[in-house]
Amino acid sequence: MYGWRARIGLISPMPGENVEHAFHIYAPDGVSFSSMKMPFPGPTPEGLKILTGQLEDTASKYKGQDLDLIVFCCTSGSFIQGVGWDKECMERIKQASGTPGLTTSTAVLESLNALGARSLAVLTPYPDATNEAERKFLEDNGFEVRTILGMDMSGVEKGRIYNAEKPFLYRNSVKMDLKGADVFFLSCMALDTLGLVGDLETDLGIPVVTSHQATLWSALRHCGIKTRQPHLGKLFAI
């Protein structure tokens, strides 16, 4: 039995397998993952509302499975309707599946609080309207967003954000204006970021939170697994 410590169900937008790939690599021994996908029109506010409209039906397919947690692995989808929307998504997952739910946005908030963050610099692959929704979500949850910037994804093959490579993400991150920020947040579950956290923390000089890292950290903690993995950043040293 692979999931002898925890069995976690994942729900994420299609296409792309960055979530599953990263979690299988970086999760500690004894943790297993199941996965389901939802069609994704894109990271605009309109597309994200279409995405989240499928959440309950997708979660219901996990009903009767022996899982400890089900995670909605989409940052923007779990903040797009404002403060409290992440908790609403968690409740919808639980009602549909019978298993406790978690969202990436909830995980990010928990991670920022665990690090004692107050002010943030945020980098995303989103359009401006979605960035503004993220700014409001973070600020309404008590964090000051000093700057939020959407990357130019035109250089990524076919514009697919899940094809963004480590050098591209690193270069955009180190160009950020971090003045006044005590944490750097790299947002979006489509971006493969867990292998980037250590280098970014060294070179930026402040704690780094990414959507992948925060979601894995929070999911493990919700399942009672407190394994420390400092190579995944200061968050995983807590």
Side-chain angles (χ1 to χ4, degrees):
M1 180 178 178
Y2 293 110
W4 53 272
R5 295 174 78 184
R7 300 182 70 241
I8 299 173
L10 308 176
I11 298 173
S12 59
M14 65 171 63
E17 295 80 36
N18 284 341
V19 174
E20 296 88 343
H21 179 71
F23 284 9
H24 281 293
I25 290 174
Y26 292 102
D29 288 344
V31 181
S32 67
F33 299 95
S34 303
S35 183
M36 291 191 187
K37 297 288 187 181
M38 299 190 296
F40 185 34
T44 63
E46 296 76 20
L48 291 164
K49 289 173 184 177
I50 293 171
L51 176 76
T52 55
Q54 307 167 69
L55 182 59
E56 288 164 289
D57 182 61
T58 306
S60 70
K61 294 177 172 63
Y62 277 123
K63 194 174 183 70
Q65 297 193 33
D66 183 20
L67 297 173
D68 299 289
L69 186 71
I70 296 173
V71 186
F72 178 31
C73 299
C74 181
T75 320
S76 51
S78 54
F79 70 60
I80 196 60
Q81 296 197 50
V83 67
W85 175 239
D86 59 318
K87 300 297 194 299
E88 173 68 20
C89 289
M90 290 168 60
E91 183 61 26
R92 291 185 180 195
I93 291 169
K94 183 177 180 180
Q95 290 297 321
S97 67
T99 298
L102 179 67
T103 78
T104 293
S105 288
T106 311
V108 168
L109 297 177
E110 291 176 352
S111 300
L112 294 172
N113 282 316
L115 289 167
R118 296 177 300 278
S119 57
L120 313 174
V122 184
L123 181 64
T124 88
Y126 311 140
D128 289 345
T130 304
N131 281 340
E132 286 309 305
E134 181 159 39
R135 178 196 292 275
K136 188 173 190 316
F137 177 83
L138 291 167
E139 291 183 341
D140 287 348
N141 277 285
F143 300 98
E144 179 186 7
V145 178
R146 299 298 298 245
T147 185
I148 184 166
L149 180 66
M151 288 178 281
D152 177 9
M153 304 300 291
S154 59
V156 178
E157 181 187 357
K158 298 181 181 178
R160 295 175 178 171
I161 57 179
Y162 58 84
N163 283 336
E165 295 182 351
K166 185 176 179 179
F168 174 83
L169 298 175
Y170 175 86
R171 288 194 299 269
N172 277 275
S173 297
V174 297
K175 290 190 298 185
M176 285 288 291
D177 179 5
L178 302 180
K179 185 177 180 180
D182 51 34
V183 170
F184 171 63
F185 172 38
L186 181 50
S187 181
C188 189
M189 286 297 283
L191 303 177
D192 187 4
T193 60
L194 270 165
L196 190 61
V197 176
D199 289 335
L200 283 179
E201 285 198 338
T202 297
D203 295 343
L204 295 178
I206 61 175
V208 170
V209 170
T210 79
S211 292
H212 270 193
Q213 171 218 37
T215 302
L216 180 59
W217 177 85
S218 180
L220 293 174
R221 271 47 182 183
H222 276 257
C223 292
I225 298 172
K226 300 178 182 179
T227 302
R228 295 185 179 184
Q229 301 181 83
H231 61 288
L232 298 180
K234 289 183 172 62
L235 179 63
F236 264 92
I238 296 173

